[in-house]
Every structure is written in structure tokens, then in C-alpha cells.
């Protein structure tokens, strides 16, 4: 009996170490996903504000970038920003966000697309010679002009998709998510007709920088003519900086 008890010495310590590691990992995961949930909530509102800014500014990308930076900059604190008034610190955060915008955020215009048949040379949108009219929509023809096209009323619905990559700051969990999402492995049980979405270059860039890409969409009725401004369907996919 003495020999048996001697062999079992340290068993409780080993079990404690295993249980402690799993418990800490679970707690760290809860904290990290709580931070990501908060970031997603802020992103939803920021996307709405960006769409609102685009609706009154010809869907100009710079107007939407500034509106997005104003809301998301609170999630991007910068070092050595403790001097000055609270307004000065907020401005510094927004300027820092704009400077790094292409590394951590992207705005894609889902509607209207560049292939829309209603683009015309109205020449009344700043920075763009091509636009979609916005006046007298109630009296315009509401039928589409052909298969796969949209009416002018639907073309004046600005829909944007915003991709933002907040920081993952919790140790262990951030590294685990980063390495897991960067793995290139085939679908072990593919479903016929379904395609597993591939990680884009922009998303890979985010993961490598310990960031987690998330997407929010917003729809707003245009209050000005829609400028073309070079939006494309591949936005937020092939961006790398």
C-alpha cells in the first residue's frame, strides 16, 4: 500500500495543471470574443454612418471613409496620445485610422454596380463624369430596362459592404485563431452545389497582423446623384498593403 501511494504522488498536481490550462484558455476565449462582439456592434453602426455619408455625397468613397474612420477610430487607440484635450486625442485617433485605412478596413459598393445600364454623362457629380440621376424618382419609369438590370429607383438604393479588422489582443487565443484561419485545408465533407468561401488576400493580411476580419452591410436611399468612382466587385478581396 505504501508503494502504491508513493507511485501516485503528484497526480493531483498534474490534473490541476491540465484543468487550469483548459480553464484559462476558456476564459481568454470568452474575453476575446466579447471584444470582437463589441467591435461588430460598433462596425454595424459605423457602416450605417458611412452609407448615410455616401447618400448625401454622391456615394463618394472619401466621404464614406471619413465617416467610417470617425466611428471606428475609438477601437484603434494609438500610443503616446495622452497629451492635449479629449478632442485633440480623438482627432489624432481618426487621422491615424485614415493613414492605415487600407490595411485594416475596406468599403465595397454592392449597389449600384459598375455594370448598371443607367449610368449616364450627367456631369453633375464631383470627381466623376458618369452618374445615375436622382431627381423626380417618383415620376420616372419604375420598370427595368432589360434582363438582369434594375429600375432607376432601385439603382438609387446605395448598398455598401464594410470589412474591418479589429485587433485580437488576448494572448494564446489570438495566435490560435491566426494559425487556424491561415491553414489551407480542403473541405473534409463537401456538399454538392456548395462552395467553401476562400480566404481573400485582404483577410489573410488581417490574420497575419493579429486581426480578425468582420463584415457589416448598410442600405440607404440616395439623396444626390450616384457617382461611378471606380467601385468594382473585387473590392475588399485583392487589397494588400
Amino acid at each position: 500500500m505504501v508503494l502504491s501511494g508513493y507511485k501516485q504522488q503528484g497526480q493531483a498536481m498534474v490534473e490541476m495543471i491540465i484543468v487550469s490550462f483548459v480553464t484559462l484558455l476558456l476564459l481568454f476565449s470568452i474575453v476575446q470574443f466579447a471584444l470582437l462582439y463589441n467591435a461588430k456592434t460598433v462596425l454595424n453602426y459605423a457602416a450605417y454612418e458611412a452609407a448615410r455619408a455616401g447618400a448625401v455625397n454622391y456615394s463618394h468613397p472619401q466621404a464614406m471613409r471619413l465617416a467610417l474612420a470617425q466611428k471606428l477610430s475609438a477601437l484603434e487607440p494609438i500610443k503616446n496620445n495622452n497629451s492635449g484635450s479629449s478632442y485633440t486625442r480623438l482627432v489624432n485617433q481618426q487621422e491615424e485610422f485614415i493613414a492605415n485605412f487600407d490595411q485594416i478596413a475596406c468599403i465595397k459598393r454592392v449597389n449600384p454596380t459598375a455594370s448598371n445600364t443607367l449610368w449616364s454623362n450627367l456631369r453633375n457629380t464631383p470627381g466623376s463624369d458618369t452618374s445615375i440621376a436622382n431627381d423626380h424618382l417618383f415620376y420616372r419609369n419604375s420598370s427595368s430596362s432589360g434582363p438582369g438590370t434594375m429600375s432607376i429607383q432601385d439603382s438609387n438604393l446605395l448598398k455598401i459592404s464594410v470589412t474591418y479588422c479589429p485587433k485580437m489582443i488576448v494572448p494564446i487565443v489570438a495566435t490560435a485563431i491566426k494559425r487556424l484561419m491561415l491553414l489551407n485545408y480542403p473541405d473534409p465533407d463537401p456538399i454538392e452545389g456548395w462552395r467553401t468561401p476562400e480566404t481573400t488576400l485582404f483577410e489573410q493580411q488581417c490574420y497575419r497582423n493579429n486581426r480578425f476580419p468582420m463584415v457589416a452591410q448598410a442600405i440607404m436611399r440616395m439623396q444626390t446623384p450616384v457617382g461611378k468612382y471606380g467601385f468594382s466587385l473585387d473590392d475588399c478581396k485583392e487589397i494588400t498593403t
Side-chain angles (χ1 to χ4, degrees):
M1 295 296 295
V2 176
L3 183 59
S4 176
Y6 174 78
K7 290 182 177 180
Q8 294 182 1
Q9 287 182 356
Q11 178 181 350
M13 181 179 295
V14 174
E15 293 175 350
M16 183 63 183
I17 292 174
I18 296 175
V19 172
S20 298
F21 177 77
V22 174
T23 303
L24 286 176
L25 183 61
L26 180 60
L27 290 176
F28 285 173
S29 301
I30 293 174
V31 173
Q32 181 62 77
F33 283 103
L35 294 174
L36 292 178
Y37 179 82
N38 175 69
K40 183 61 168 65
T41 303
V42 176
L43 175 61
N44 289 339
Y45 180 66
Y48 166 80
E49 287 294 322
R52 184 173 181 271
V56 297
N57 289 284
Y58 311 96
S59 78
H60 199 290
Q62 187 63 19
M64 292 191 285
R65 285 163 66 100
L66 291 173
L68 193 68
Q70 185 180 18
K71 301 305 177 184
L72 293 181
S73 59
L75 299 175
E76 296 288 332
I78 58 178
K79 297 180 179 179
N80 302 324
N81 192 31
N82 298 322
S83 59
S85 64
S86 57
Y87 175 77
T88 302
R89 295 195 297 270
L90 179 61
V91 170
N92 291 337
Q93 283 182 264
Q94 295 175 7
E95 291 178 348
E96 182 76 11
F97 190 94
I98 287 293
N100 300 316
F101 189 93
D102 291 330
Q103 298 179 9
I104 58 179
C106 177
I107 300 176
K108 173 182 177 180
R109 188 176 68 190
V110 181
N111 186 69
T113 62
S115 60
N116 193 296
T117 60
L118 296 173
W119 295 109
S120 59
N121 297 325
L122 296 178
R123 298 184 183 276
N124 58 350
T125 52
S128 176
D129 294 333
T130 308
S131 59
I132 296 177
N134 179 259
D135 58 321
H136 307 294
L137 293 180
F138 182 78
Y139 300 100
R140 290 178 179 268
N141 185 5
S142 60
S143 60
S144 60
S145 57
T149 60
M150 303 179 67
S151 66
I152 192 170
Q153 289 83 0
D154 290 339
S155 297
N156 270 273
L157 287 176
L158 175 63
K159 181 178 181 180
I160 63 172
S161 175
V162 178
T163 304
Y164 168 60
C165 304
K167 293 180 180 179
M168 295 187 292
I169 61 176
V170 178
I172 301 177
V173 177
T175 304
I177 294 176
K178 169 185 175 180
R179 294 183 177 179
L180 179 63
M181 297 307 295
L182 288 176
L183 289 176
N184 185 15
Y185 55 88
D187 191 345
D189 187 19
I191 301 176
E192 185 178 356
W194 287 22
R195 186 174 64 87
T196 303
E198 298 179 356
T199 305
T200 65
L201 294 179
F202 179 72
E203 292 172 341
Q204 293 175 14
Q205 173 183 267
C206 290
Y207 287 127
R208 292 191 182 97
N209 294 325
N210 287 328
R211 292 176 174 271
F212 188 87
M214 52 181 58
V215 180
Q217 295 185 344
I219 301 177
M220 189 70 61
R221 171 72 68 178
M222 289 296 301
Q223 304 299 313
T224 55
V226 189
K228 205 166 188 178
Y229 298 122
F231 289 98
S232 68
L233 295 177
D234 289 333
D235 289 342
C236 301
K237 289 185 179 181
E238 306 302 321
I239 298 177
T240 56
T241 56

